[in-house]
Amino acid sequence: QVQLVESGGGLVQAGGSLRLSCAASGRTFSRNVMAWFRRRPGKEREFVGRINQSGSSIYVPDSVLGRFTISRDNAKNTVYLQMSSLKPEDTGVYYCAAARIGVVPFSWDYWGQGTQVTVSS
């Protein structure tokens, strides 16, 4: 079982940066592929990136490529979402998720409660 707690959200002006953190409990963190999602007002949940178990490989979709990046610190059981050049349309609730180990395609079985990001114009 993995429990996830996000933090670092808040209010930021357009063009600014934020770093979100997701702290994981449990002893399997270093074996979990991790991801970030967001839910913007009036829109469905949206994938914004994932990182492999060692942190050597990340993938972010074109929608945030060049502005968002993901990293992890397995010693701290924490994954990060670094967001820069933020836009008002990035406003939403951001969630981290952990994939079930050994399952492909990824099954995002574990979710945090989310952290609100608000970007003012």
Side-chain angles (χ1 to χ4, degrees):
Q1 190 76 2
V2 179
Q3 293 183 322
L4 304 171
V5 179
E6 301 95 337
S7 62
L11 175 64
V12 63
Q13 288 189 328
S17 299
L18 273 179
R19 188 178 79 158
L20 306 183
S21 299
C22 172
S25 66
R27 293 180 289 181
T28 66
F29 178 76
S30 63
R31 298 171 58 200
N32 293 101
V33 175
M34 300 295 296
W36 286 92
F37 293 80
R38 67 183 178 186
R39 189 183 299 276
R40 297 184 287 175
K43 296 184 180 294
E44 295 188 352
R45 188 177 64 197
E46 175 187 10
F47 168 78
V48 294
R50 69 171 182 262
I51 186 166
N52 72 343
Q53 293 91 330
S54 68
S56 62
S57 176
I58 67 170
Y59 171 77
V60 292
D62 288 345
S63 58
V64 298
L65 184 64
R67 299 191 301 120
F68 290 13
T69 191
I70 300 175
S71 61
R72 67 190 294 163
D73 185 339
N74 286 344
K76 295 182 178 179
N77 275 20
T78 301
V79 63
Y80 305 96
L81 178 67
Q82 179 69 50
M83 306 183 292
S84 60
S85 301
L86 283 163
K87 305 174 183 180
E89 52 264 42
D90 293 317
T91 293
V93 180
Y94 284 70
Y95 302 88
C96 69
R100 189 186 308 177
I101 295 169
V103 174
V104 179
F106 300 118
S107 175
W108 304 109
D109 284 8
Y110 308 101
W111 292 84
Q113 83 290 347
T115 186
Q116 174 72 42
V117 172
T118 303
V119 184
S120 64
S121 57

